[in-house]
Amino acid sequence: MLPFQALVLPVTLLLLQLLVTGTSTAKTITKKQTLHPDFQDLDVKQAIAEATKTPPLATSQYHEPVKNKSDSESQQKWKLTLVHRDRKMTSSNMKFHNHSRVFHARMQRDAKRVASLVRRLSGGGGGSYAVEDLGSEVVSGMDEGSGEYFVRIGVGSPARSQDMVIDTGSDIVWVQCKPCTQCYHQNDPLFDPADSGSFTGVSCSSSVCDRLENAGCNDGRCRYEVSYGDGSYTKGTLALETLTFGRSVVKNVAIGCGHRNRGMFVGAAGLLGLGGGYMSFVGQLGGQTGGAFSYCLVSRGTESSGSLEFGREALPMSAAWIPLIRNPRAPSFYYIGLSGLGVGGMQVAVSEEVFRLNELGNGGVVMDTGTAVTRLPTAAYEAFRDAFVAQTGTLPRASGVSIFDTCYNLNGFLSVRVPTVSFYFSGGPILTLPARNFLIPVDDVGTFCFAFAPSSSGLSIVGNIQQEGIQISFDGSSGYVGFGPNVC
């Protein structure tokens, strides 16, 4: 069923380029019109300042009370504050913040994650993959300045506050638990099931355990194991537990209680899976939220915080909606239809077939909060990049940096004019990105790079850098994803 919002605006064009100047204006016109400007301004000085001086997070900004709805209402709306991990750096860590080092470490991890996704989602044949195989690679923690987004929730009864990474590419909800045979460092005390009055182990014969394709059994208890692309993993027992979001309480959520956890999870207590499968937090809530959630990833370096909301009331009335595409081989991931790319108000000559999900479940376009940089098939990327280079001929070039092959030396510039960059979605809507989402600083001295990269496979991934500052909403029950109209 088409969401009400899509009936209101069946064909929409979002203009979000004004984000660069700090305004929050979004306009809507039809696809056939070409009223959006060909160029926009990038504030070079501000971009460098925000990248090199990340403001620490105030505790009051991270604990956002949420008004609970009446028990008589069948669907609820829960809102959480969503912050970038860099905001959680303490004042003592700020003097060690080196943007170039943080950037290179982040790109190395991003390359590992993408390689893992490509192996899982673009392999030959039409076989299915277990949820565990498709789990998100949670990359390194606060000390490495990684790019995850955090929410803070309560686990157990009484609730113990825990920092959780959100990930739209994972279905498992898990936390580190005592007794811990092997645990990595986290910011909060380890969760102890013995101190929770609502913790209930899941038996091997339970229908919940049956939903894990690779579930094990030990002493009658259902065991889970999630392995990630870099060799990291979490292993433990499956349980039903109470989770608290602000003042809202959700009972009997299936979570993994990890007793053996290894790898690049430093800082977070665990992961809140928001994928499209049955075991994700959204999937388990079902009718309580109508299969709907919305998030806004705040741009790194800014003093504001983003948000994560659950419930159909979180879906905006005037978003630009496009259908979600289901891939049976990868039910955890949110696929969308992309028909083309635009530079300077002109569509690049790339066939729509390049972005299609084929009958074997290969290719297609995935939206992923765990990937930083958008990846495109090599042929599409090269045409896209060449079109951008052709319209930035007056800007001084710089050598490539890390995974980026198109960079500019903007040292000494206060601002520059750059061509607009747009995603052309199947069905009509066009999303024009703010300049800060595609030309980013990679060091402290003014080197900026075109923030896209080629993929050797047919898989395209829309990463979180390109999603920053834009409200993105998922209507799982109706099968749509919406962009805008709000900004953050």
Side-chain angles (χ1 to χ4, degrees):
M1 179 180 178
L2 196 67
F4 172 75
Q5 296 90 326
L7 296 175
V8 176
L9 291 175
V11 181
T12 308
L13 172 61
L14 278 166
L15 295 185
L16 292 170
Q17 70 279 1
L18 293 180
L19 275 167
V20 178
T21 59
T23 60
S24 56
T25 302
K27 301 179 182 179
T28 56
I29 59 177
T30 63
K31 178 182 177 182
K32 292 183 179 181
Q33 292 174 299
T34 56
L35 299 181
H36 58 296
D38 294 339
F39 288 84
Q40 56 179 296
D41 293 324
L42 172 67
D43 190 327
V44 174
K45 184 177 179 180
Q46 179 182 354
I48 295 175
E50 291 178 348
T52 56
K53 295 181 181 179
T54 302
L57 177 70
T59 303
S60 61
Q61 290 178 286
Y62 200 26
H63 297 269
E64 178 175 316
V66 180
K67 292 184 178 181
N68 206 0
K69 300 183 75 66
S70 67
D71 295 335
S72 62
E73 296 187 57
S74 59
Q75 295 180 356
Q76 302 182 42
K77 176 184 175 180
W78 306 319
K79 183 175 182 179
L80 296 169
T81 300
L82 186 61
V83 298
H84 187 272
R85 190 190 295 265
D86 289 349
R87 293 288 311 283
K88 293 171 60 57
M89 297 177 69
T90 64
S91 298
S92 61
N93 287 333
M94 290 302 297
K95 61 183 178 181
F96 301 110
H97 182 79
N98 180 286
H99 180 63
S100 180
R101 180 183 65 84
V102 169
F103 165 78
H104 282 281
R106 184 186 185 198
M107 292 301 101
Q108 291 173 1
R109 294 187 299 270
D110 203 50
K112 288 182 179 180
R113 174 180 175 82
V114 170
S116 177
L117 293 184
V118 167
R119 285 196 302 271
R120 302 303 185 185
L121 303 183
S122 299
S128 61
Y129 291 84
V131 169
E132 289 77 6
D133 291 333
L134 293 169
S136 166
E137 177 187 14
V138 182
V139 295
S140 66
M142 184 192 311
D143 294 340
E144 296 299 326
S146 63
E148 289 89 7
Y149 288 84
F150 276 63
V151 292
R152 192 161 180 82
I153 68 173
V155 181
S157 301
R160 301 294 197 277
S161 294
Q162 304 278 285
D163 287 343
M164 302 285 280
V165 173
I166 67 161
D167 201 312
T168 56
S170 178
D171 284 341
I172 302 297
V173 180
W174 62 268
V175 294
Q176 294 197 113
C177 288
K178 291 183 178 180
C180 200
T181 306
Q182 176 180 314
C183 279
Y184 57 85
H185 171 74
Q186 66 177 58
N187 300 327
D188 299 300
L190 287 174
F191 175 70
D192 190 347
D195 292 337
S196 174
S198 52
F199 184 91
T200 304
V202 173
S203 68
C204 300
S205 60
S206 168
S207 60
V208 177
C209 191
D210 289 341
R211 291 181 177 178
L212 293 176
E213 295 185 26
N214 292 339
C217 190
N218 185 22
D219 294 332
R221 296 297 185 186
C222 182
R223 297 190 60 82
Y224 80 96
E225 178 176 342
V226 184
S227 298
Y228 301 96
D230 67 341
S232 303
Y233 58 77
T234 173
K235 302 178 182 180
T237 55
L238 201 65
L240 299 180
E241 184 55 288
T242 296
L243 301 183
T244 303
F245 297 78
R247 297 174 184 170
S248 298
V249 176
V250 188
K251 299 180 179 180
N252 296 320
V253 178
I255 70 169
C257 192
H259 301 291
R260 289 181 57 86
N261 314 287
R262 175 185 180 275
M264 303 174 76
F265 302 108
V266 180
L271 184 143
L272 186 68
L274 301 177
Y278 294 113
M279 292 296 288
S280 78
F281 180 67
V282 178
Q284 291 190 59
L285 287 178
Q288 293 185 64
T289 60
F293 69 99
S294 178
Y295 62 77
C296 208
L297 306 179
V298 68
S299 299
R300 66 187 60 247
T302 62
E303 296 184 2
S304 59
S305 296
S307 63
L308 172 65
E309 297 183 68
F310 299 97
R312 298 196 66 80
E313 289 187 8
L315 301 181
M317 293 295 293
S318 54
W321 293 92
I322 62 173
L324 288 168
I325 300 173
R326 178 172 173 77
N327 183 357
R329 293 182 63 227
S332 299
F333 288 89
Y334 296 102
Y335 283 79
I336 59 175
L338 189 65
S339 62
L341 304 163
V343 175
M346 300 178 62
Q347 189 165 355
V348 178
V350 176
S351 171
E352 185 173 355
E353 292 298 320
V354 173
F355 304 111
R356 287 195 188 278
L357 178 68
N358 67 26
E359 294 179 355
L360 297 178
N362 298 324
V365 182
V366 169
M367 292 193 63
D368 184 31
T369 59
T371 297
V373 176
T374 291
R375 300 309 204 277
L376 301 167
T378 300
Y381 168 76
E382 291 179 347
F384 188 40
R385 174 204 60 197
D386 292 348
F388 186 81
V389 169
Q391 297 190 44
T392 53
T394 60
L395 297 180
R397 293 291 298 273
S399 300
V401 179
S402 186
I403 65 173
F404 299 136
D405 61 12
T406 302
C407 300
Y408 300 86
N409 179 9
L410 303 184
N411 184 26
F413 287 84
L414 295 179
S415 65
V416 294
R417 294 279 282 173
V418 293
T420 57
V421 167
S422 305
F423 291 133
Y424 287 67
F425 294 119
S426 301
I430 303 171
L431 176 64
T432 296
L433 300 176
R436 63 184 298 159
N437 285 28
F438 62 81
L439 201 58
I440 65 171
V442 298
D443 58 25
D444 304 336
V445 295
T447 305
F448 281 68
C449 294
F450 187 54
F452 295 85
S455 169
S456 58
S457 76
L459 179 67
S460 298
I461 307 171
V462 179
N464 60 46
I465 290 177
Q466 281 66 46
Q467 297 180 46
E468 285 182 353
I470 303 168
Q471 183 181 16
I472 298 175
S473 306
F474 291 87
D475 183 355
S477 60
S478 298
Y480 282 81
V481 59
F483 297 87
N486 296 330
V487 296
C488 58

